[in-house]
Amino acid sequence: MAVRAAVAGASGYAGGELLRLLAAHPEVEIGALTGNSNAGQRLGALQPHLSPLADRVLEATTTEALSDHDVVFLALPHGRSASVAERLGDEVLVVDCGADFRLRDPAAWERFYGTPHAGTWPYGLPELPGAREALKGSRRVAVPGCYPTTVTLSLFPAFAAGLVEPDVVVVAATGTSGAGKALKPHLLGSEVMGSMSPYGVGGVHRHTPEMVQNLSAVADEPVTVSFTPTLAPMSRGILATCTAKARPGVDGDRLREAYEKALAPEPFVHLLPEGQWPSTAAVYGSNTVLVQVAYDEAAHRVVVVGALDNLTKGTAGGAVQSMNIALGVPEGTGLPVTGVAP
Amino acid sequence: MAVRAAVAGASGYAGGELLRLLAAHPEVEIGALTGNSNAGQRLGALQPHLSPLADRVLEATTTEALSDHDVVFLALPHGRSASVAERLGDEVLVVDCGADFRLRDPAAWERFYGTPHAGTWPYGLPELPGAREALKGSRRVAVPGCYPTTVTLSLFPAFAAGLVEPDVVVVAATGTSGAGKALKPHLLGSEVMGSMSPYGVGGVHRHTPEMVQNLSAVADEPVTVSFTPTLAPMSRGILATCTAKARPGVDGDRLREAYEKALAPEPFVHLLPEGQWPSTAAVYGSNTVLVQVAYDEAAHRVVVVGALDNLTKGTAGGAVQSMNIALGVPEGTGLPVTGVAP
Amino acid sequence: MAVRAAVAGASGYAGGELLRLLAAHPEVEIGALTGNSNAGQRLGALQPHLSPLADRVLEATTTEALSDHDVVFLALPHGRSASVAERLGDEVLVVDCGADFRLRDPAAWERFYGTPHAGTWPYGLPELPGAREALKGSRRVAVPGCYPTTVTLSLFPAFAAGLVEPDVVVVAATGTSGAGKALKPHLLGSEVMGSMSPYGVGGVHRHTPEMVQNLSAVADEPVTVSFTPTLAPMSRGILATCTAKARPGVDGDRLREAYEKALAPEPFVHLLPEGQWPSTAAVYGSNTVLVQVAYDEAAHRVVVVGALDNLTKGTAGGAVQSMNIALGVPEGTGLPVTGVAP
Amino acid sequence: MAVRAAVAGASGYAGGELLRLLAAHPEVEIGALTGNSNAGQRLGALQPHLSPLADRVLEATTTEALSDHDVVFLALPHGRSASVAERLGDEVLVVDCGADFRLRDPAAWERFYGTPHAGTWPYGLPELPGAREALKGSRRVAVPGCYPTTVTLSLFPAFAAGLVEPDVVVVAATGTSGAGKALKPHLLGSEVMGSMSPYGVGGVHRHTPEMVQNLSAVADEPVTVSFTPTLAPMSRGILATCTAKARPGVDGDRLREAYEKALAPEPFVHLLPEGQWPSTAAVYGSNTVLVQVAYDEAAHRVVVVGALDNLTKGTAGGAVQSMNIALGVPEGTGLPVTGVAP
């Protein structure tokens, strides 16, 4: 088998991570690489870490360039994916790393994005109940946002077991690559090194409705999420601290049992042994998610901390994992499970 | 006026920051510097940033070394302050940067520290109602913990105005200097750079009862605090995200009004203009606290973010501020209000 | 005395550091703050660490805005200073943090900058022989480049004592603030964190002729400098490693003696005790330069390492130091000599 | 084929990187993992990034534990390898990541290490002339030091082509993992973040004689090396700036031609296109070395900058590369050639 894959948006961080993974994927042959303002440039000048692909040249993102591939990964700005996907035809697997097709509720989309809703594609979070089935054979995949991936994988066992109230507080720290390569003053190295800062506070971050959608589905009732993202002085990684009131009768043992049961079958999500807590360093460059839970008796709260690499499991690794499922390749193919540390 | 000040624990991070501030304080003359394992060493070998004091030599922490000073700052491990203070006499101002005399509830002390309670001293957070009066002329000061300082200053306006429910969630990131100079593997540069990780999760961090004490006093009812501290890849700074359910009828305007009113008189705590959020970089090396608030309508929650430098306002700056008040020196003397950035 | 000072270029990193120092300078009153694209904005939105000046508003950089001041600091892009200075008149002290008036050799200027030479002003490196005399009473000062300051202060004692051959190799690491607030991809936090990279290799960096000028003057013969700057994952600081062949008969003792003699009188340049080496952390935010020397017998080379803060002693601190001398204020007024560490 | 490999020193940084690579090596089965003070602990507690091996338990480093393997990697403190290797027998491939068997000159060993010389093993730098032949079938390999690997690969083309004088200056920056997991104050995160500092200045660093040995062999004449290592605020990576006087008649074209010719056949060492310079970020976690050269006409010097990951190509990747050659496995098997960036 040789899956021919194109990457649209190959000059960005998500595109670069897709190429890092695809270059080592035994079933994939890398086809067209496209970009916009960077069309015509050597990849080596834009992504110097991708040595084996250094002499590849970026094309413009056109239907011609992207046609004749088995899989097309879209790492484009929001709002661009629908028109590209339409022209590629239904037999091509289109894996969209953008937000366009993640939400099921058009009203939520419009409230947070201010544009008409493009539709909903099978959601590329295989660990959610029913998700693997929906992905198998699908030719469209909406890759989840990096924060919703972290938070959903951290909290779904608690909601699935009915252990917590549907009122969640999440505070998460992200590495700067989550903001992409945009040339904005607050993303300059001089500004971010040595500094923690919040953004999108007060329920306005666009990943909020996606968390609400995922957790409400698992809980089978409406869940509210108070989400505060913060920018941390590191390139990669998300650490999400998630908490909700424990339901009556819940204690540490029941909590741990629920997490063990829910996560044991998952190849990429690991509940750590008691007493050990996740760090983003431990998942740097890997598709692994590390999770730990605690029960705070005084506050009667469940606290869950999840860590992943926003570019790997949070974006490109999740995308490849879903591609594998969609194409019938073993799910873990080409996906690193050890982090690069220290 | 020339206040003669000694620093016990001069080789640590809190001690170093005390000396940085005291060296520039126009009313202070630096007397004895003491340490334990480092007695006999040049300060320049231990604190190379304190050039003007480089040739001072550390003495052992004895009553003899510390006597004959107007002020003695204690930056010692927990449990050491009581016996030192006793021997110094009642007329000496003793400012304790450790935890020993912060808590009023002996049971809370014993639950979190496992030793007998040493007592309670006037609490060195001048911004709390009544605190300045208690500090004036006092000869004992318990400097608050760095997290409680951040969280209390972030939340007291909301509780004082009765705007939030007494069930608080705090997730805070700290720079590594908060852990001191202890030689522990997880504090190695190789481990912390590029990594976020939580610790003391589930209500077990020792600063929790201090937050509960402060906020319950302001709220005039018992407040629970779910506190999760995280270690961030930076040397200094705390960013605390604090949230509680809004009480009925609260909205963004009432919230902002309460914060403006509560913080306007404070020289070191600034409410940022709407739309601007705190960062730890902006308070690096300064005694300033930056605060911003938001009302999340969907989650019906108040979210407050506070930032300060854990070694300055969070420890040594707070200590000097309280010393100034205790001695009748203008409160801001010797305290930097601009950060060192970028 | 109340010196009224304006800062042109107040929104950049050099401008911000000037304001941090001037705000704490007891003889200075801060007048106009000007910018270009940022005119009309609150300073607090651009320099959030300068709390006491947060509500000041930037004006456009015009002669009107800058007139009626005793001192005008220029932190402008290269090539802009001459015309501004001309219009300010001869009685105003103009301190230029840019490169325009540093070089004495028009040919060197034109080779490295490609524009006509604007002229030469008294050079603001007081530690050079004769420099203080030239600065006293002067109404024009050319503040040295940050690398030339580091390298000149590291090597002048060796050349003044005739200990080394006139063929110097310098490899220096700088924090990213040295590149200013320019929105360039390689300056993004995601790119610089965790990464060292060189730039301007092979004799093309514009600070090279300035080092050649300074060292040749001290050596009284032409000195060549092979200079390689590197970008380090930190916001501030320069660490310069400088080496030259030892002249016959030189050994470690003669070397140390020469450095002790040359640096002893200098308030801001400290030769460390034997065995201790400089770090940029130790001079963070201070006007101090730390220097250490070694004699490598096998390679018959003198190795000198110097560290300073590129924004303080390397730019704004050096500028204020020269202003003090020019105005007859004690040289160290308003200049911090302790670093902010850790 | 299934090569059974043991790692002695599995709890350290070199050991961890060996395991990361070996876990993904298609021909290797991981056998015993040994440690000293950590014997009896789960690997997951010590190396949390190695998820697939988390439940493996460390044994004590004994002959029993290490016997019955095809390959034994030694990542032990200096001086420990000889006795372990002796007891393993001649048919086992022993790959020593320590220094014990790198130097050919007993006097150089004794001068720098102060102990009797243990001997010399085939040197695991396959890119050196003749090295691959010596490694083929060998059952002993001395893995080079991380700095000597960087510097030798950066400079050997210039010496092989006779383009430079035998008097080299090297200034290199290393990530903190190069210093291992030792609990030393200057390696604490609080100390290294935001700081550059030199160490081992003046010809005393133990990697110096190894560089001298390698370059002298290529040059076929004695080469002196002035080597200054510096510690950079990053976990991984070495950036070495190397310079030597150009021999008469050398210019940029001849230089580039020599590097292109020497490096073209090498799978892991890449000469970048003109105008592009190496960064450590681009080789993070990969076995690739990036090199660029420049000719400085004014200083008549050749300047070469090389970048690699000290734990991968600088230690564990180099070790696996040599193992592959020794065992007759294709040289690049199991070795990542893309970096993890940003």
Side-chain angles (χ1 to χ4, degrees):
Chain A
M1 175 178 187
V3 174
R4 200 169 147 75
V7 174
S11 63
Y13 290 147
E17 185 74 348
L18 280 164
L19 291 170
R20 181 176 77 90
L21 298 176
L22 296 175
H25 194 295
E27 311 289 348
V28 168
E29 180 196 317
I30 296 178
L33 312 182
T34 77
N36 261 338
S37 52
N38 298 304
Q41 290 196 52
R42 289 175 67 247
L43 190 69
L46 301 163
Q47 309 271 24
H49 61 297
L50 301 174
S51 292
L53 301 169
D55 292 327
R56 300 286 299 268
V57 172
L58 263 69
E59 303 173 64
T61 304
T62 63
T63 310
E64 293 66 45
L66 296 175
S67 62
D68 289 325
H69 292 84
D70 303 302
V71 189
V72 175
F73 290 93
L74 304 181
L76 303 171
H78 298 320
R80 299 273 319 276
S81 300
S83 64
V84 174
E86 242 167 54
R87 282 181 240 134
L88 290 174
D90 288 349
E91 71 288 356
V92 177
L93 171 55
V94 182
V95 182
D96 185 15
C97 296
D100 299 20
F101 297 95
R102 291 173 190 162
L103 296 185
R104 285 194 292 269
D105 176 6
W109 173 271
E110 282 158 28
R111 197 159 57 247
F112 280 85
Y113 290 88
T115 56
H117 188 223
T120 312
W121 286 356
Y123 191 68
L125 193 60
E127 293 83 358
L128 277 185
R132 282 190 177 88
E133 290 62 39
L135 291 169
K136 260 175 215 157
S138 169
R139 286 300 170 259
R140 294 291 184 270
V141 175
V143 179
C146 49
Y147 286 124
T149 295
T150 323
V151 171
T152 307
L153 295 178
S154 296
L155 282 175
F156 87 86
F159 278 108
L163 304 183
V164 291
E165 302 289 347
D167 172 31
V168 169
V169 173
V170 174
V171 180
T174 186
T176 51
S177 63
K181 269 192 188 173
L183 293 177
K184 296 176 183 169
H186 76 285
L187 297 177
L188 286 174
S190 299
E191 304 291 325
V192 297
M193 288 186 283
S195 191
M196 294 286 307
S197 59
Y199 63 101
V201 189
V204 302
H205 193 282
R206 287 172 165 182
H207 284 181
T208 307
E210 196 180 339
M211 298 180 203
V212 167
Q213 169 176 293
N214 294 351
L215 297 179
S216 298
V218 178
D220 206 17
E221 66 175 320
V223 174
T224 60
V225 177
S226 161
F227 173 52
T228 306
T230 65
L231 193 66
M234 56 189 191
S235 291
R236 290 178 174 230
I238 287 179
L239 187 88
T241 302
C242 315
T243 175
K245 280 277 176 194
R247 287 224 152 116
V250 170
D251 60 13
D253 288 346
R254 280 191 56 193
L255 188 63
R256 187 149 194 97
E257 194 182 349
Y259 271 78
E260 279 171 355
K261 195 179 143 197
L263 299 181
E266 288 305 329
F268 292 113
V269 191
H270 299 306
L271 179 67
L272 287 169
E274 288 192 70
Q276 192 177 352
W277 287 86
S279 74
T280 62
V283 293
Y284 196 99
S286 101
N287 206 52
T288 298
V289 185
L290 297 178
V291 173
Q292 183 58 290
V293 293
Y295 172 61
D296 180 339
E297 198 175 346
H300 201 50
R301 282 189 166 272
V302 169
V303 185
V304 193
V305 181
L308 53 68
D309 184 318
N310 58 303
L311 291 181
T312 319
K313 178 61 175 163
T315 307
V320 170
Q321 187 181 350
S322 289
M323 174 199 81
N324 287 341
I325 297 172
L327 297 178
V329 177
E331 188 174 331
T333 310
L335 289 169
V337 287
T338 59
V340 182
Chain B
M1 173 177 187
V3 174
R4 200 169 147 75
V7 174
S11 62
Y13 291 147
E17 185 74 349
L18 280 165
L19 290 170
R20 180 176 78 88
L21 298 176
L22 295 174
H25 194 296
E27 312 287 348
V28 168
E29 178 195 316
I30 297 177
L33 313 182
T34 78
N36 261 338
S37 51
N38 298 303
Q41 290 196 52
R42 290 175 65 248
L43 189 70
L46 301 162
Q47 309 271 23
H49 60 298
L50 302 174
S51 292
L53 302 169
D55 292 327
R56 300 286 300 267
V57 173
L58 262 70
E59 304 173 63
T61 305
T62 62
T63 311
E64 293 66 46
L66 296 174
S67 61
D68 289 326
H69 292 84
D70 303 302
V71 189
V72 174
F73 290 93
L74 304 181
L76 303 171
H78 298 319
R80 299 274 318 277
S81 300
S83 64
V84 175
E86 240 166 56
R87 281 182 241 132
L88 291 174
D90 289 348
E91 71 287 359
V92 178
L93 171 55
V94 181
V95 182
D96 185 14
C97 296
D100 298 19
F101 297 95
R102 292 173 189 160
L103 296 185
R104 284 194 293 268
D105 177 6
W109 173 271
E110 280 159 29
R111 197 158 55 249
F112 280 85
Y113 291 86
T115 56
H117 188 223
T120 312
W121 286 355
Y123 191 67
L125 194 60
E127 293 84 359
L128 276 185
R132 282 189 177 90
E133 290 63 38
L135 290 168
K136 260 175 214 157
S138 171
R139 285 301 169 261
R140 292 292 184 270
V141 176
V143 179
C146 48
Y147 286 124
T149 295
T150 322
V151 171
T152 306
L153 295 178
S154 296
L155 282 176
F156 87 87
F159 278 109
L163 304 183
V164 291
E165 302 289 347
D167 172 31
V168 169
V169 173
V170 174
V171 179
T174 186
T176 52
S177 63
K181 270 191 188 172
L183 294 177
K184 297 177 182 167
H186 76 284
L187 296 178
L188 286 175
S190 299
E191 304 291 325
V192 297
M193 286 186 285
S195 191
M196 293 285 309
S197 59
Y199 64 100
V201 189
V204 302
H205 192 282
R206 288 172 165 181
H207 284 180
T208 307
E210 196 180 338
M211 298 180 202
V212 167
Q213 170 177 294
N214 294 351
L215 298 178
S216 298
V218 177
D220 206 16
E221 66 176 319
V223 174
T224 60
V225 178
S226 162
F227 173 52
T228 306
T230 65
L231 193 65
M234 58 189 190
S235 292
R236 289 179 174 228
I238 286 179
L239 187 88
T241 301
C242 314
T243 174
K245 281 277 176 194
R247 287 223 151 118
V250 169
D251 60 14
D253 288 347
R254 279 190 58 192
L255 189 62
R256 187 148 195 96
E257 193 182 352
Y259 271 78
E260 280 172 352
K261 194 177 143 197
L263 299 181
E266 287 306 329
F268 292 113
V269 191
H270 298 306
L271 179 67
L272 288 168
E274 287 191 71
Q276 191 177 353
W277 287 86
S279 73
T280 61
V283 293
Y284 196 99
S286 101
N287 205 52
T288 298
V289 185
L290 297 179
V291 173
Q292 183 58 289
V293 293
Y295 172 60
D296 180 340
E297 199 175 346
H300 200 50
R301 281 190 166 272
V302 169
V303 186
V304 193
V305 180
L308 55 67
D309 184 319
N310 59 303
L311 290 181
T312 320
K313 177 61 176 165
T315 307
V320 170
Q321 187 181 350
S322 289
M323 174 199 81
N324 286 341
I325 297 172
L327 297 178
V329 177
E331 189 174 330
T333 310
L335 289 169
V337 286
T338 58
V340 182
Chain C
M1 175 178 184
V3 175
R4 201 168 145 76
V7 173
S11 63
Y13 290 146
E17 185 73 349
L18 280 164
L19 290 170
R20 181 177 76 89
L21 298 176
L22 295 174
H25 194 295
E27 311 287 348
V28 168
E29 179 196 318
I30 297 178
L33 311 182
T34 78
N36 260 339
S37 51
N38 298 303
Q41 290 196 51
R42 287 176 67 249
L43 189 70
L46 301 162
Q47 308 272 22
H49 60 298
L50 301 174
S51 292
L53 302 169
D55 292 326
R56 299 287 300 269
V57 173
L58 262 68
E59 305 173 61
T61 305
T62 62
T63 310
E64 293 67 45
L66 297 174
S67 60
D68 287 326
H69 292 84
D70 303 302
V71 189
V72 175
F73 290 93
L74 304 181
L76 303 171
H78 298 319
R80 299 274 318 276
S81 301
S83 65
V84 174
E86 239 167 56
R87 282 181 241 132
L88 291 173
D90 289 348
E91 71 288 0
V92 177
L93 171 55
V94 181
V95 182
D96 185 14
C97 296
D100 299 19
F101 296 95
R102 291 173 189 160
L103 295 185
R104 284 194 293 269
D105 176 5
W109 173 270
E110 281 158 29
R111 197 160 55 247
F112 279 85
Y113 291 87
T115 55
H117 188 223
T120 312
W121 286 356
Y123 190 69
L125 194 60
E127 293 83 358
L128 277 184
R132 282 188 177 90
E133 290 63 39
L135 292 168
K136 260 174 215 156
S138 169
R139 285 302 169 259
R140 292 293 183 269
V141 175
V143 179
C146 50
Y147 286 125
T149 295
T150 323
V151 172
T152 306
L153 295 177
S154 296
L155 282 175
F156 87 86
F159 278 109
L163 304 183
V164 291
E165 302 289 345
D167 171 31
V168 169
V169 173
V170 175
V171 179
T174 187
T176 51
S177 63
K181 270 192 188 172
L183 293 177
K184 296 178 183 167
H186 76 285
L187 296 178
L188 286 174
S190 299
E191 304 291 325
V192 297
M193 286 186 285
S195 190
M196 294 283 312
S197 59
Y199 64 102
V201 189
V204 302
H205 192 283
R206 287 171 166 182
H207 285 181
T208 308
E210 197 180 337
M211 297 179 203
V212 167
Q213 170 177 292
N214 294 351
L215 298 178
S216 298
V218 177
D220 207 16
E221 65 175 320
V223 174
T224 60
V225 177
S226 161
F227 173 52
T228 306
T230 66
L231 194 65
M234 58 188 189
S235 291
R236 290 179 174 229
I238 287 179
L239 186 88
T241 302
C242 315
T243 175
K245 280 276 177 194
R247 288 222 151 119
V250 170
D251 60 15
D253 289 346
R254 279 191 57 192
L255 187 63
R256 187 147 197 97
E257 193 183 352
Y259 271 79
E260 280 172 353
K261 195 177 144 199
L263 298 181
E266 287 306 328
F268 293 112
V269 191
H270 298 307
L271 179 68
L272 288 168
E274 288 191 70
Q276 192 177 353
W277 288 87
S279 74
T280 62
V283 293
Y284 195 99
S286 101
N287 205 52
T288 298
V289 186
L290 297 178
V291 173
Q292 183 57 290
V293 294
Y295 172 61
D296 180 339
E297 198 176 346
H300 201 49
R301 281 190 166 272
V302 169
V303 185
V304 192
V305 180
L308 54 69
D309 184 318
N310 58 303
L311 290 181
T312 320
K313 177 61 176 165
T315 306
V320 170
Q321 186 181 350
S322 288
M323 174 199 80
N324 287 341
I325 297 173
L327 297 178
V329 177
E331 188 173 331
T333 308
L335 290 169
V337 287
T338 59
V340 182
Chain D
M1 174 178 187
V3 175
R4 200 169 147 74
V7 174
S11 63
Y13 290 146
E17 185 74 350
L18 281 164
L19 290 170
R20 181 176 77 89
L21 298 176
L22 296 174
H25 194 295
E27 312 288 349
V28 168
E29 179 196 318
I30 297 178
L33 312 182
T34 77
N36 261 338
S37 52
N38 298 304
Q41 291 196 52
R42 289 175 66 249
L43 190 68
L46 301 162
Q47 309 271 22
H49 61 298
L50 301 174
S51 292
L53 301 170
D55 291 327
R56 300 285 301 266
V57 173
L58 263 68
E59 304 172 63
T61 305
T62 62
T63 310
E64 293 66 46
L66 297 174
S67 60
D68 288 325
H69 292 84
D70 303 302
V71 190
V72 175
F73 291 93
L74 304 180
L76 303 171
H78 297 318
R80 300 272 318 276
S81 300
S83 65
V84 174
E86 238 166 60
R87 281 181 242 133
L88 291 173
D90 289 348
E91 71 288 359
V92 177
L93 172 55
V94 181
V95 182
D96 185 14
C97 297
D100 299 20
F101 297 95
R102 291 173 189 161
L103 296 185
R104 285 195 291 270
D105 176 6
W109 173 270
E110 281 159 29
R111 199 160 54 247
F112 280 85
Y113 291 85
T115 56
H117 188 223
T120 312
W121 286 357
Y123 190 69
L125 194 60
E127 293 83 358
L128 276 185
R132 282 189 177 89
E133 290 63 39
L135 291 167
K136 258 174 216 158
S138 170
R139 286 300 171 261
R140 293 292 183 270
V141 175
V143 179
C146 50
Y147 286 124
T149 296
T150 323
V151 171
T152 306
L153 295 177
S154 297
L155 283 176
F156 86 87
F159 277 108
L163 304 183
V164 291
E165 301 290 346
D167 171 32
V168 169
V169 173
V170 174
V171 179
T174 186
T176 51
S177 64
K181 269 191 189 172
L183 293 177
K184 296 176 183 169
H186 76 285
L187 297 177
L188 286 174
S190 299
E191 304 291 324
V192 297
M193 287 186 284
S195 191
M196 294 284 310
S197 59
Y199 64 102
V201 189
V204 301
H205 192 282
R206 287 171 166 182
H207 284 182
T208 308
E210 196 179 338
M211 298 180 202
V212 167
Q213 171 177 293
N214 294 352
L215 297 177
S216 298
V218 178
D220 207 17
E221 65 175 319
V223 174
T224 60
V225 177
S226 162
F227 173 52
T228 306
T230 66
L231 194 65
M234 58 189 190
S235 291
R236 287 179 175 229
I238 287 179
L239 186 88
T241 302
C242 315
T243 175
K245 281 275 176 193
R247 287 224 152 118
V250 170
D251 61 15
D253 289 346
R254 280 191 57 192
L255 188 62
R256 187 146 195 97
E257 193 183 350
Y259 271 79
E260 280 171 354
K261 194 178 144 198
L263 299 181
E266 286 307 327
F268 292 112
V269 191
H270 298 306
L271 180 66
L272 288 169
E274 287 192 71
Q276 193 177 353
W277 287 86
S279 74
T280 62
V283 293
Y284 196 99
S286 102
N287 206 51
T288 299
V289 185
L290 297 178
V291 173
Q292 183 57 290
V293 293
Y295 172 61
D296 180 340
E297 198 174 346
H300 201 51
R301 280 189 167 273
V302 169
V303 185
V304 192
V305 180
L308 55 67
D309 184 317
N310 58 303
L311 290 181
T312 320
K313 177 59 176 167
T315 306
V320 171
Q321 187 181 348
S322 288
M323 175 200 80
N324 286 341
I325 297 173
L327 297 178
V329 177
E331 189 174 332
T333 310
L335 289 170
V337 287
T338 58
V340 183

